[in-house]
Amino acid sequence: MNNKPNRLAYLAAVLYASIIGCSYLFVKLALESAQPVDLLAHRFTISFAAASIPVLFGWIRLNIKLKEVVAILPLVAIYPVLFFTFQTYGLVDTSSSEAGIIQATVPMITLVMAMYWLKERPSLRQKLSTLLSVAGVAYLFISKGIHWQSVGFQGNLLILASAISLAGYGVLARKLLRNISAVSITYTMTVIGFVFFNSMNIVRHAGNGSLGHYFDPFMNLWFVGAILYLGVMASLVSSFLSNYTLSKMEASKMSVFNNVSTLVTVTTGIIFLQEQLTQDTIIGGAAIIAGVIGANWRRAAKHTAATKVSI
């Protein structure tokens, strides 16, 4: 497998970060009409339906062996099961600002994991650029005023657990993608997520006698819009983009793009919520972009030059 990053891999990473950057807004919106387990179950029902359409029509042909499914199971346990569970329940008691700061630890956690398990050796520039990007995220939110006493400790702890899960996913997926295609892994993750979260939700509804209200959240149009975005874009499409990128790029480099999602979150707030573009926002956003470029520019340039020579 060709592990050298290409332009398409960088584009996929940016799209992935942009989609994730909007997901916190839609999770918060959906939680106004549904319990966390309802949201997770319906999210992956939509994702499973969307993923199955091209398979049923023969547009995508899957050839997944049983031993490959078994190999993917540990990855699925981390992402989507643990990651989305921790994220959704954490956002019940945590503001998006604190969640953003905690999620900024993903590149650092990934860097340590990748060095230990994948034997990746990031350069000094990559390490410093990752720190710069993380600092940009932290500055962006601290400048807006953080009041740690206003949120529950449990919520912060769950968001930290989701960050660790995301970092672990990046490292494990990078290893699996050496032998299994991104499409196969994405579809398997989606199917198992659909079965797991719906089983958990059915048990909950059956336990309190509310099975007849299983689809009540869909009576709210805001929930329908939010769950469509979360199911198709933030679950299915983002998983494929992430898996594809990890098949072409080191896990530690890919993780830096998670901080771009923070910049997207701020930008959407300015556009849709009429928030002001302050000097602090510009400084923090510039640090995030500089960190991403610094971590990837040199190798991208080398790959482009090598491609021209080979042609």
Side-chain angles (χ1 to χ4, degrees):
M1 182 181 69
N2 180 14
N3 288 320
K4 292 182 179 180
N6 52 38
R7 291 180 180 178
L8 195 58
Y10 288 108
L11 176 60
V14 173
L15 289 174
Y16 162 80
S18 300
I19 292 171
I20 296 300
C22 297
S23 65
Y24 283 111
L25 171 64
F26 287 100
V27 169
K28 282 286 191 182
L29 186 63
L31 284 173
E32 294 180 2
S33 306
Q35 294 295 317
V37 184
D38 286 317
L39 188 158
L40 290 166
H42 297 319
R43 175 177 189 164
F44 276 89
T45 297
I46 297 295
S47 184
F48 171 67
S52 297
I53 291 174
V55 175
L56 291 174
F57 281 92
W59 301 334
I60 294 178
R61 295 186 181 278
L62 298 173
N63 185 22
I64 308 173
K65 300 177 182 178
L66 180 60
K67 65 177 182 179
E68 292 177 337
V69 174
V70 173
I72 295 171
L73 284 177
L75 177 66
V76 175
I78 297 172
Y79 185 100
V81 173
L82 289 180
F83 172 74
F84 284 115
T85 300
F86 290 144
Q87 181 198 62
T88 303
Y89 277 94
L91 283 171
V92 173
D93 298 317
T94 307
S95 69
S96 58
S97 294
E98 273 103 359
I101 290 177
I102 297 170
Q103 285 292 127
T105 61
V106 171
M108 303 310 300
I109 299 171
T110 304
L111 196 66
V112 174
M113 287 184 174
M115 289 174 64
Y116 182 79
W117 278 297
L118 299 181
K119 308 304 179 184
E120 292 183 3
R121 292 294 178 262
S123 64
L124 179 60
R125 171 183 292 202
Q126 186 179 349
K127 293 176 182 178
L128 293 177
S129 297
T130 300
L131 284 172
L132 177 61
S133 189
V134 171
V137 175
Y139 178 85
L140 193 64
F141 283 117
I142 291 174
S143 67
K144 297 170 79 71
I146 302 300
H147 305 286
W148 293 99
Q149 299 84 355
S150 64
V151 297
F153 174 78
Q154 183 178 6
N156 288 333
L157 192 62
L158 288 172
I159 294 297
L160 178 59
S162 75
I164 295 173
S165 299
L166 187 59
Y169 153 73
V171 172
L172 185 55
R174 172 71 175 171
K175 191 172 184 178
L176 286 174
L177 284 161
R178 293 170 180 169
N179 302 307
I180 308 174
S181 71
V183 173
S184 296
I185 290 181
T186 301
Y187 190 76
T188 302
M189 289 167 56
T190 302
V191 171
I192 296 177
F194 163 73
V195 173
F196 178 83
F197 288 121
N198 274 280
S199 297
M200 187 165 62
N201 201 30
I202 288 172
V203 170
R204 184 183 75 87
H205 278 283
N208 58 28
S210 60
L211 271 175
H213 300 283
Y214 197 86
F215 295 103
D216 280 3
F218 285 93
M219 300 300 292
N220 187 307
L221 291 179
W222 285 107
F223 176 84
V224 173
I227 209 67
L228 285 173
Y229 179 87
L230 293 172
V232 178
M233 298 300 295
S235 294
L236 178 61
V237 175
S238 70
S239 293
F240 174 75
L241 291 172
S242 179
N243 288 330
Y244 172 78
T245 304
L246 286 167
S247 71
K248 304 292 184 181
M249 185 185 301
E250 292 95 331
S252 54
K253 290 177 67 177
M254 166 64 182
S255 68
V256 179
F257 284 90
N258 284 288
N259 288 338
V260 177
S261 64
T262 300
L263 182 61
V264 173
T265 301
V266 174
T267 302
T268 54
I270 294 171
I271 295 174
F272 297 106
L273 302 178
Q274 288 76 51
E275 295 178 352
Q276 292 184 349
L277 180 62
T278 64
Q279 182 179 356
D280 290 330
T281 301
I282 296 174
I283 294 173
I288 294 170
I289 297 298
V292 172
I293 293 175
N296 294 279
W297 178 261
R298 176 177 292 181
R299 291 189 181 182
K302 286 184 178 180
H303 175 61
T304 301
T307 302
K308 290 180 178 179
V309 170
S310 63
I311 292 175

